[in-house]
Amino acid sequence: MKIRAGVVLAAVYGLTLGWSVAPAGAQDLSEHAVKSFMEYAWSLTPQQFSKPDGSVIMIDKTKKDQVLVPLDVAREVIKAGRLSAHAQICELGDDQVQNHRALMRREDAKKKWTQQQMVYISQLHLTTLMLLTGRIKLVEKQGDKEVVIDEKKETAQTCTDEQKKKVKEMIAAYVAASPAPAVAAAPQGQQPQRQGQNQGAPASTGSTSVSETAIEKK
């Protein structure tokens, strides 16, 4: 699915990746910008999501209002996605994954979202990351410009050592302020393992498929 270019690019402009690396809460988005990100994330949300345990979450695309989350929640998810985009530009893969997992633990801890909404939250984070790292291009179609995914596009932004250090510090603070991973039961004689510990990172946090991003459940 596609969305008009002007709406998305206006939202991206409002959430620019300026290298002041301001705290996640310092750059508030307008309601219009948040809604633009939410609409694009909805267009990319799959009809079903397969969890690591093999179970499947079905997304009822005819009941959009029951899957989307409130604007204030979406704004915080977008800010977390912005931080993940900084991490990707700085080639901080592990930090990027930890940032996403911390976001999902925060939302799961609220005990108020359905499984469909948790999938959407993860997709909104991913969509924000893709928009801000340049995995979007404009194409001309029937006299109009539309936004489409460009998986082959390389990120143009660069990251200095100072910027990388700042991003790591911001993510560390975000993770520290989030609920800790649940401790999984371990066989007798072995140390318990926290959920997410020593697990592989999502296959591609820049992918258009939400099935490649982990949804952390406690």
Side-chain angles (χ1 to χ4, degrees), residues 20-84:
S20 59
V21 196
Q27 190 177 13
D28 285 332
L29 284 169
S30 68
E31 180 176 323
H32 177 73
V34 173
K35 287 182 177 179
S36 297
F37 274 86
M38 292 177 72
E39 286 296 322
Y40 196 67
W42 175 249
S43 74
L44 294 178
T45 300
Q47 291 186 325
Q48 66 179 45
F49 170 77
S50 298
K51 297 172 63 177
D53 62 7
S55 60
V56 175
I57 300 172
M58 301 301 299
I59 310 297
D60 190 342
K61 300 288 282 190
T62 69
K63 297 181 178 179
K64 177 180 175 181
D65 291 343
Q66 295 181 21
V67 180
L68 268 58
V69 294
L71 281 174
D72 60 332
V73 176
R75 182 177 281 110
E76 294 306 311
V77 174
I78 292 168
K79 289 175 181 176
R82 178 177 184 265
L83 189 52
S84 288

Side-chain angles (χ1 to χ4, degrees), residues 14-214:
L15 196 67
T16 177
L17 273 175
W19 269 122
S20 59
V21 196
Q27 190 177 13
D28 285 332
L29 284 169
S30 68
E31 180 176 323
H32 177 73
V34 173
K35 287 182 177 179
S36 297
F37 274 86
M38 292 177 72
E39 286 296 322
Y40 196 67
W42 175 249
S43 74
L44 294 178
T45 300
Q47 291 186 325
Q48 66 179 45
F49 170 77
S50 298
K51 297 172 63 177
D53 62 7
S55 60
V56 175
I57 300 172
M58 301 301 299
I59 310 297
D60 190 342
K61 300 288 282 190
T62 69
K63 297 181 178 179
K64 177 180 175 181
D65 291 343
Q66 295 181 21
V67 180
L68 268 58
V69 294
L71 281 174
D72 60 332
V73 176
R75 182 177 281 110
E76 294 306 311
V77 174
I78 292 168
K79 289 175 181 176
R82 178 177 184 265
L83 189 52
S84 288
H86 275 301
Q88 185 170 110
I89 292 168
C90 290
E91 299 181 345
L92 296 170
D94 289 342
D95 298 87
Q96 179 182 334
V97 171
Q98 291 305 315
N99 187 63
H100 172 255
R101 289 176 174 171
L103 165 68
M104 300 309 293
R105 290 198 301 273
R106 285 183 178 212
E107 297 308 320
D108 184 52
K110 294 177 181 179
K111 303 300 181 185
K112 63 189 300 183
W113 310 126
T114 65
Q115 288 188 321
Q116 292 185 62
Q117 287 175 309
M118 290 295 288
V119 171
Y120 175 74
I121 287 169
S122 188
Q123 183 63 64
L124 180 57
H125 168 275
L126 174 61
T127 299
T128 302
L129 186 155
M130 291 172 62
L131 287 168
L132 297 180
T133 54
R135 304 232 174 230
I136 295 294
K137 68 177 180 179
L138 293 179
V139 297
E140 191 82 21
K141 184 176 182 181
Q142 297 179 347
D144 194 11
K145 288 184 177 181
E146 296 180 328
V147 175
V148 297
I149 304 301
D150 185 3
E151 286 286 1
K152 296 181 180 179
K153 185 173 181 179
E154 295 294 334
T155 301
Q157 296 99 323
T158 58
C159 175
T160 66
D161 289 342
E162 182 179 355
Q163 291 161 350
K164 180 178 290 189
K165 178 182 178 182
K166 183 63 176 178
V167 172
K168 285 185 70 71
E169 291 174 349
M170 291 174 64
I171 291 179
Y174 184 76
V175 172
S178 304
V183 178
Q188 188 174 4
Q190 295 185 16
Q191 291 294 323
Q193 180 177 336
R194 287 190 179 276
Q195 188 178 41
Q197 181 180 354
N198 296 327
Q199 294 179 356
S204 173
T205 48
S207 169
T208 58
S209 173
V210 73
S211 62
E212 293 185 356
T213 60

